[in-house]
């Protein structure tokens, strides 16, 4: 573990201090290089190469548009290649990059679970960065016209073309690829098995939301479940705080109180609109999200001990603080010490329009690395996958403080007026129909682990079919992507069992079966199948 720590410490020196972006934005941590082990920061890429001399950082000539045969444009897609464990020239593991810069750690840090398995099974390892994130730019700006090329279908087709090309380049013999991914890349890993089954033998899709719900109010409900499991008095304590804050937000003097308690910058004033107030509650909800989503995770001491449901409930039920609103503020202060959103930890950034001014730009220089990642992620959500984390339906202790409208407005304000309610709804519906959602997701040889405390697990799929190894696995008492991280002392038994289950199935997937795999594998008819799949996409999508 000491190795992991030195990596974490190293990164704390190069923390990107964000101007106005919240530190936890829309279900995703932004720009905190210390912490985000899973989507390790771009800045680390050069360090990674000196840390892991065996790791190769390479470019792949990728197609711009897989669905237009007349479009011959190409671009450089970044990938990592780790041949350290390669013993077989046949078994290949692919880590799928997601909504942020991909770093070498996920291809090379030996304690990461799937890399331990790569070592054991002698696999070649690749890690492909997602288009429009990190260094992988099909087009050098993020205008709406350019972002039309940022879709899940293009990203899956990138993976397909990458796999086919690597098979040729490396001359893999009877290639048996297994894809891995966590969170949104977990969804891609699941969908890739569904859409391109002939290119892989199996997939692990960790904490994969495959239900593309636009209004993801269930997130808040799982947070509440987590509070209740932790301490039966905790949900009520949260409800008291939020309800009082909501009442305060309705009057001018009440808003003045909020200004003072939370040290808001900018302050609520006479010009404050409903949008500003929704945005404020969105920022408050972000803190509850950030404290829950990685609770007890193996990524660092911070998530083991400090950013946990337990800690959150201790603060929210603190009997030495009689004011429920101040308890919420204590929570914000606590969270800021681990996820600073500005230099002054006592300040709460509170401007909707500052966020829009940054993420609303299509210029990569204005956006910066973190702004670009946030914009790309928002685009995926607004344009296809939904996942908008509201509190406006179902039972939950957050009341209706974070309505869907906040995010619909955000989509329109960040992109343009064509990205409106109708557009967002219809694109989301198309995507849901295309992938099938939680109920109609279907593929063989796929393990779908989720954590019971992870709010994202509510969008997972749980229909099992052992006949063709569609294998959901709910891990009791863990959070987001917990199965992917290095082992740690005192981890729950359920996690140990989950990893063993995943590994056992990966082993099954890659098992060489001469009756099924001919001498040249099963890839003969691939190109025909792919052409067919592409036509289908064309038909459905463009
Ligand atoms: C990959 O291509 C980018 C430009 O798209 C370039 O900046 C970078 O240096 C290339 N990296 C390698 C390893 O060739
Ligand atoms: C590769 O692994 C398979 C089993 O997974 C084994 O049958 C085969 O002999 C191995 N090939 C080499 C070159 O090690
Ligand atoms: C409110 O908006 C008006 C018009 O934009 C502006 O003149 C005024 O200074 C604003 N008031 C405050 C307190 O910001
Ligand atoms: C987390 O909290 C523990 C005490 O509970 C403390 O010893 C440790 O330094 C903290 N770690 C981090 C990274 O904040
Ligand atoms: C409890 O509340 C008091 C008064 O606000 C504060 O000083 C203390 O840090 C709080 N403890 C926790 C665990 O939040
Ligand atoms: C689901 O996938 C399996 C394996 O590919 C296939 O045998 C089965 O027919 C599919 N079921 C449906 C309803 O599509
Ligand atoms: C699995 O296959 C068996 C035998 O073909 C069949 O009876 C059973 O219904 C199948 N189970 C599922 C979940 O499809
Ligand atoms: C999950 O774990 C908790 C505590 O470890 C235990 O009380 C509970 O019964 C478990 N739930 C299931 C479904 O196994
Ligand atoms: C099988 C299973 O555990 N399904 C659960 C998935 O998560 C939702 C939301 O928390 C639950 O309602 C399901 O029971």
């Amino acid at each position: 573990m000491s190795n992991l720590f030195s990596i974490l410490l190293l990164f704390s020196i190069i923390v990107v201090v964000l101007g106005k972006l919240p530190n936890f934005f829309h279900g995703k941590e932004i720009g905190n290089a210390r912490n985000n082990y899973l989507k390790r920061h771009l800045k680390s890429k050069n360090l990674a190469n000196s840390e892991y001399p065996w790791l190769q950082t390479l470019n792949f000539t990728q197609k711009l548009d897989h669905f237009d045969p007349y479009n011959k444009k190409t671009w450089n897609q970044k990938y990592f290649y780790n041949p350290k464990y390669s013993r077989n020239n046949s078994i290949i593991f692919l880590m799928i990059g997601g909504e942020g810069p991909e770093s070498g750690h996920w291809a090379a840090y030996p304690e990461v679970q799937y890399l331990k398995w790569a070592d054991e099974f002698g696999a070649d390892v690749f890690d492909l960065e997602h288009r429009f994130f990190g260094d992988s730019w099909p087009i050098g700006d993020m205008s709406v016209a350019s972002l039309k090329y940022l879709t899940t279908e293009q990203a899956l087709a990138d993976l397909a073309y990458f796999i086919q090309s690597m098979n040729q380049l490396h001359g893999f013999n009877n290639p048996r690829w297994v894809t891995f991914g966590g969170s949104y890349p977990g969804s891609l890993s699941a969908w890739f098995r569904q859409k391109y089954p002939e290119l892989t033998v199996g997939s692990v899709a960790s904490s994969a939301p495959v239900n593309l719900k636009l209004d993801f109010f269930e997130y808040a409900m799982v947070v509440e479940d987590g509070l209740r499991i932790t301490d039966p008095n905790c949900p009520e304590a949260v409800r008291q705080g939020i309800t009082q804050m909501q009442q305060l937000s309705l009057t001018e003097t009440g808003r003045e109180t909020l200004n003072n308690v939370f040290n808001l910058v900018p302050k609520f004033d006479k010009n404050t609109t409903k949008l500003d107030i929704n945005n404020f509650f969105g920022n408050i909800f972000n803190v509850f999200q950030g404290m829950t989503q990685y609770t007890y995770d193996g990524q660092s001491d911070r998530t083991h001990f400090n950013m946990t449901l337990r800690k959150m409930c201790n603060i929210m039920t603190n009997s030495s603080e009689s004011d429920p609103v101040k308890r919420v503020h204590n929570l914000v202060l606590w969270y800021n010490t681990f996820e600073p959103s500005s230099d002054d930890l006592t300040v709460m950034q509170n401007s909707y329009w500052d966020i829009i001014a940054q993420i609303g730009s299509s210029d990569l220089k204005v956006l910066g690395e973190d702004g670009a990642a946030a914009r790309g992620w928002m685009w995926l959500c607004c344009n296809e996958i939904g996942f908008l984390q509201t509190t406006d339906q179902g039972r939950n202790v957050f009341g209706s403080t974070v309505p869907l409208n906040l995010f619909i407005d955000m989509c329109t304000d960040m992109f343009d007026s064509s990205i409106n309610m109708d557009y967002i709804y219809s694109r989301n519906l198309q995507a849901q129909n295309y992938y099938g959602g939680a109920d109609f997701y279907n593929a063989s040889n796929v393990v779908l682990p989720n954590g019971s405390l992870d709010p994202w697990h509510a969008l997972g799929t749980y229909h099992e079919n052992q006949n063709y190894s569609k294998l959901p696995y709910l891990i009791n008492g863990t959070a987001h992507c917990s199965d992917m991280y290095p082992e740690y002392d005192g981890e729950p038994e359920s996690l140990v069992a989950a990893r063993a289950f995943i590994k056992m199935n990966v082993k099954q997937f890659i098992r060489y079966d001469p009756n099924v795999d001919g001498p040249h594998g099963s890839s003969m008819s691939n190109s025909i199948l792919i052409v067919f799949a592409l036509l289908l996409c064309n038909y459905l999508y463009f």
Side-chain angles (χ1 to χ4, degrees), residues 418-488:
S418 69
I419 313 302
N420 56 20
M421 181 88 98
D422 286 347
Y423 176 92
I424 296 164
Y425 267 98
S426 70
R427 286 287 300 166
N428 178 250
L429 192 62
Q430 268 181 319
Q432 181 76 318
N433 289 337
Y434 181 61
Y435 292 112
D439 289 338
F440 297 101
Y441 170 76
N442 189 38
S444 64
N445 288 8
V446 53
V447 192
L448 301 136
N450 268 292
S452 68
L453 298 177
D454 175 15
W456 289 98
H457 90 255
L459 297 186
T461 182
Y462 300 93
H463 304 293
E464 182 183 71
N465 194 317
Q466 297 204 347
N467 289 353
Y468 47 88
S469 293
K470 184 173 68 165
L471 304 167
Y473 193 105
L474 194 65
I475 313 170
N476 188 22
T478 66
H480 203 49
C481 304
S482 60
D483 50 288
M484 301 175 77
Y485 298 115
E487 280 148 33
Y488 62 98

Side-chain angles (χ1 to χ4, degrees), residues 194-245:
Q194 182 179 20
K195 299 294 179 188
Y196 299 91
E198 67 285 353
L199 291 181
T200 60
V201 295
S203 150
V204 179
S206 298
S207 298
V210 293
N211 197 7
L212 296 90
K213 282 201 74 193
L214 189 63
D215 186 343
F216 181 19
F217 61 84
E218 292 86 347
Y219 189 112
M221 293 165 69
V222 182
V223 173
E224 180 174 342
D225 290 343
L227 299 174
R228 187 166 290 112
I229 291 166
T230 308
D231 175 351
N233 297 320
C234 191
E236 193 46 39
V238 173
R239 183 198 303 283
Q240 271 184 13
I242 300 289
T243 306
Q244 284 200 21
M245 286 166 66

Side-chain angles (χ1 to χ4, degrees), residues 34-76:
R34 275 188 300 187
N35 154 51
N36 202 340
Y37 192 74
L38 186 61
K39 284 149 202 138
R40 188 70 83 171
H41 204 269
L42 177 67
K43 290 241 164 105
S44 62
K45 67 179 188 285
N46 296 323
L47 293 173
N49 279 352
S50 54
E51 233 170 292
Y52 312 112
W54 59 87
L55 183 67
Q56 300 172 26
T57 306
L58 300 159
N59 276 328
F60 174 66
T61 305
Q62 184 59 274
K63 296 177 186 174
L64 172 65
D65 187 349
H66 296 275
F67 307 112
D68 175 3
Y70 299 105
N71 190 332
K72 302 287 183 207
K73 289 201 181 111
T74 60
W75 52 285
N76 279 339

